[in-house]
Amino acid sequence: MDMFGKKRVAIVGAGVTLFRRNLKETGKELAYHAAKMALEQAGMELRDIQSVVMGSAPDAFDGVHMKGEYLADGAGAYHKPYMRVFVGGGTGVFAPIAGWWHVASGQFDTCLVVCEEKMSSCYPHPQYAFTTIFDPILERPIGMNLIWIFALEMNRYMHKHNIKKEDIALVSVKNKRNALDNPIAQLGANITVEDVLNSEIMAWPVQRLDVSPTSDGAAAVVLVSEDVAKEVTDNPIWIDGVGWCIDSTHWTNRDLYYPDYVEYAARMAYKMAGIKNPPKEIDVAEPYDPFDYKELHHMEGLLLCKKGEAPKLTKEGVTQRDGDLPICPSGGLLGCGNPIAAAGLMKVCEIFWQLRGEAGKRQVPGDPRTGLAQAWGDLMQYGSVIVLRR
Amino acid sequence: MSVKIKHFPGEEIETKDFREGKVLFESFRSKARYAWSAGIAVSRFLEELKNGRILASTCSKCGRIMVPPRIYCEKCFKPTDGWTYVKDTGIINTFSVSFIAADASRLKEPVVVAVIELDDASPGMGIVHWLGEYGDWREIKIGMRVQAVWKPPEERTGAITDIKYFKPLKE
Ligand SMILES: [Zn+2]
């Protein structure tokens, strides 16, 4: 079995809308804007596209069930082979992986991948819509909400490695500052560790400034086979590794301090990309950071450092844009906002632009050649990883 | 976000638009109702909660004692082949102290939820439940020993809430 596909696949265009708390555009309109931008950057038109992949996270957010069908025309799927992928927060990186199959299999030469999220429709807060992801018999009677369980995970991670809250807060400080250079960002800011530690407690140890905001937005990429890539661009960015993995939904039966499933997904992607020493070979990374501790948790799961070592690297400045291993130069979800599926694909777009040298003020130095994006979702159980190369 | 792209689409609705009533609201409440099956394993578990006992299932291949119980071992992918009771005592694996309710509204008094690793279950095997009688939440620690506080037998309905909460054990 050839798990690496028949054809090499490139990204040749990317687009992202503004990320905002409330946008006037509908989900379809946002999908259209992102898709159109990605096509324009690729120098292509919808008629050049042979298949479409759509990603969006829980239907309950915007109260439209079977959202894939609803969003199809905004995503450019009119009269085309179309599929929706949906693995919660992991969707934004899994959608381009699904697009990769379409082209790598040899079935299509071009595929448009669009991710959209409109969380503001769930008023006043989409948090309540999340209650329906829990086991109805054993967990919902406890009145679970999602911030609680992330707090459980953060607390376990801090306990296991004896990590202080102020060391985790540095991630929020870094990413919000990085976002000041990002024109789409919702929450770029110069804040301090003290601001984070003094912000309102939501669910201890999670405080207001440890969390990314809810947002609306969309992102898109155009994937093509090698033959097409040579025709349309001089600087394609190759998808050299993909990986994905899910853990048991019995989340109270696992040790939440470490995301095994992210490690397995990363190992799959690294094997495909021929990466043996991730911290040395990855030049820039966008791990999923809906919470500040998650960036650290995910750096460890991605084998970018040893278990428990990510806070130290952050403190030493290694993860700054001009550090040895720049992490979330886009500003991440903490700085840009978190329209869930769109936020994951935004990370893929950022790596694409970083590797093309088009990231402007956010450009990491040193002529990066290899980048990584990762997303995480479902009931704290799913990891998706993509490795891109110039 | 690319220097080659000058314009990023999206028009923001501002807070004043909400205040000035310029935003159209449509509300919807789903009338869908559900009667979930608790399933083979969890039905037995719930029955035993009524008796004040916590039921686990066991897998002879990997040797795990699993709570909540299941009829198949997801690791070995074979049927579990035994039932056993575990103690209603254990340790706090992790906890959180929530100042927001399920709908993200603010709470005056926090709610503490914890993953409890039950004694006699396999290491790391926990269930999620509330903590109670903990005094000041700042005193709660991972690794603290706790015990279930049960509803009186006549009030039990065969639900996870037949356990009122877990309370720290004085040792
Ligand atoms: Zn087993």
Side-chain angles (χ1 to χ4, degrees):
Chain A
M1 191 181 75
D2 182 5
M3 66 180 285
F4 300 162
K6 289 182 175 172
K7 290 198 173 180
R8 223 177 160 203
V9 183
I11 304 181
V12 293
V16 181
T17 66
L18 294 180
F19 285 5
R20 290 294 181 270
R21 175 70 182 89
N22 291 287
L23 285 172
K24 282 182 188 166
E25 289 83 354
T26 63
K28 293 186 205 194
E29 290 169 338
L30 291 170
Y32 165 78
H33 280 311
K36 196 76 179 164
M37 285 174 80
L39 286 168
E40 271 168 22
Q41 192 169 35
M44 293 166 72
E45 297 191 32
L46 187 57
R47 64 166 179 265
D48 303 321
I49 295 295
Q50 294 171 352
S51 70
V52 177
V53 173
M54 177 82 214
S56 192
D59 291 342
F61 283 148
D62 45 10
V64 180
H65 194 45
M66 297 178 68
K67 206 159 51 172
E69 289 73 0
Y70 176 69
L71 295 168
D73 30 308
Y78 180 70
H79 283 183
K80 288 190 198 295
Y82 175 69
M83 68 178 278
R84 175 191 181 187
V85 301
F86 170 36
V87 281
T91 301
V93 171
F94 193 55
I97 291 175
W100 174 85
W101 305 332
H102 283 64
V103 178
S105 65
Q107 186 71 26
F108 303 104
D109 277 318
T110 57
C111 178
L112 174 64
V113 179
V114 187
C115 286
E116 175 275 351
E117 215 70 67
K118 190 160 176 79
M119 301 175 77
S120 61
S121 308
C122 192
Y123 190 85
H125 201 284
Q127 190 57 244
Y128 199 62
F130 269 129
T131 58
T132 54
I133 75 170
F134 291 98
D135 181 281
I137 308 290
L138 297 179
E139 292 169 359
R140 277 191 235 177
I142 308 295
M144 299 301 296
N145 83 42
L146 225 53
I147 306 279
W148 290 11
I149 62 166
F150 299 142
L152 293 172
E153 192 178 71
M154 179 171 173
N155 205 1
R156 185 74 191 162
Y157 174 62
M158 287 168 61
H159 172 80
K160 192 86 176 185
H161 298 301
N162 197 19
I163 296 165
K164 292 199 201 78
K165 274 217 61 177
E166 39 268 53
D167 292 342
I168 291 177
L170 283 168
V171 174
S172 196
V173 172
K174 168 178 70 75
N175 291 4
K176 285 176 193 293
R177 193 194 300 124
N178 283 350
L180 287 171
D181 296 327
N182 197 329
I184 65 132
Q186 178 177 348
L187 273 192
N190 264 315
I191 59 166
T192 64
V193 167
E194 283 65 40
D195 292 333
V196 181
L197 298 181
N198 292 332
S199 65
E200 176 193 7
I201 299 175
M202 299 177 78
W204 180 263
V206 172
Q207 292 174 257
R208 166 75 59 193
L209 291 177
D210 293 312
V211 193
S212 60
T214 59
S215 318
D216 300 346
V221 289
V222 176
L223 308 187
V224 302
S225 64
E226 190 161 10
D227 305 340
V228 175
K230 282 179 182 152
E231 281 172 32
V232 300
T233 184
D234 294 332
N235 49 355
I237 299 300
W238 301 100
I239 298 179
D240 272 1
V242 296
W244 63 99
C245 182
I246 195 163
D247 203 337
S248 158
T249 190
H250 286 292
W251 60 275
T252 60
N253 290 177
R254 349 180 197 122
D255 200 330
L256 299 174
Y257 90 99
Y258 185 72
D260 300 312
Y261 47 91
V262 172
E263 180 183 323
Y264 299 150
R267 285 189 186 280
M268 177 176 163
Y270 292 153
K271 186 177 173 200
M272 184 173 155
I275 289 175
K276 303 225 156 45
N277 186 344
K280 277 236 153 60
E281 294 177 58
I282 303 284
D283 301 320
V284 52
E286 284 274 344
Y288 206 57
D289 64 322
F291 293 76
D292 43 13
Y293 81 94
K294 285 309 290 189
E295 174 170 307
L296 305 167
H297 210 232
H298 288 152
M299 281 172 64
E300 294 170 19
L302 290 166
L303 310 173
L304 294 174
C305 60
K306 294 195 186 84
K307 290 181 183 179
E309 197 184 60
K312 187 170 151 273
L313 295 188
T314 306
K315 207 171 179 175
E316 289 168 355
V318 174
T319 61
Q320 297 282 347
R321 244 186 231 143
D322 58 358
D324 282 346
L325 182 54
I327 301 286
C328 291
S330 69
L333 279 53
L334 287 161
C336 294
N338 184 8
I340 301 183
L345 191 55
M346 175 276 283
K347 289 178 169 288
V348 177
C349 297
E350 176 73 8
I351 296 297
F352 170 75
W353 287 319
Q354 288 283 352
L355 299 182
R356 296 234 298 197
E358 291 178 15
K361 283 189 191 166
R362 301 184 316 287
Q363 186 64 48
V364 305
D367 199 22
R369 297 194 65 83
T370 305
L372 172 152
Q374 173 253 333
W376 158 81
D378 289 344
L379 200 48
M380 307 200 285
Q381 70 191 118
Y382 186 85
S384 41
V385 176
I386 196 163
V387 174
L388 304 182
R389 271 209 196 95
R390 187 154 44 120
Chain B
M1 302 202 307
S2 164
V3 285
K4 298 200 168 165
I5 298 171
K6 299 296 171 207
H7 172 69
F8 294 88
E11 283 187 50
E12 196 172 3
I13 301 173
E14 294 179 22
T15 311
K16 70 172 170 45
D17 299 331
F18 283 88
R19 252 187 239 124
E20 292 167 8
K22 289 184 181 166
V23 178
L24 173 70
F25 279 92
E26 283 288 341
S27 291
F28 165 79
R29 185 173 295 238
S30 170
K31 286 196 178 127
R33 300 179 71 189
Y34 301 88
W36 289 294
S37 168
I40 309 300
V42 170
S43 293
R44 286 190 67 167
F45 175 80
L46 297 174
E47 269 311 305
E48 290 292 353
L49 289 179
K50 270 200 221 173
N51 302 324
R53 290 192 294 224
I54 299 175
L55 185 70
S57 59
T58 56
C59 172
S60 60
K61 193 170 175 200
C62 66
R64 289 192 304 159
I65 300 170
M66 293 172 271
V67 196
R70 40 264 206 189
I71 60 161
Y72 57 88
C73 172
E74 73 277 11
K75 284 195 176 172
C76 307
F77 218 58
K78 63 177 272 302
T80 49
D81 37 20
W83 300 92
T84 186
Y85 298 108
V86 296
K87 294 206 178 87
D88 72 348
T89 51
I91 59 166
I92 297 174
N93 170 283
T94 185
F95 68 95
S96 68
V97 185
S98 188
F99 289 81
I100 54 171
D103 63 356
S105 61
R106 297 290 169 276
L107 297 170
K108 279 207 177 92
E109 290 299 318
V111 178
V112 182
V113 285
V115 176
I116 313 293
E117 275 183 55
L118 294 162
D119 291 338
D120 294 347
S122 289
M125 280 282 171
I127 59 169
V128 64
H129 218 299
W130 296 300
L131 288 188
E133 299 179 46
Y134 48 78
D136 183 346
W137 67 263
R138 290 169 193 83
E139 305 292 314
I140 302 170
K141 297 275 183 293
I142 290 174
M144 207 176 233
R145 289 198 59 74
V146 291
Q147 179 163 32
V149 174
W150 297 83
K151 282 182 179 166
E154 63 278 11
E155 287 176 25
R156 294 180 202 152
T157 59
I160 190 69
T161 48
D162 286 354
I163 296 173
K164 286 208 283 193
Y165 48 77
F166 283 80
K167 68 167 186 186
L169 279 172
K170 305 248 173 343
E171 282 169 299

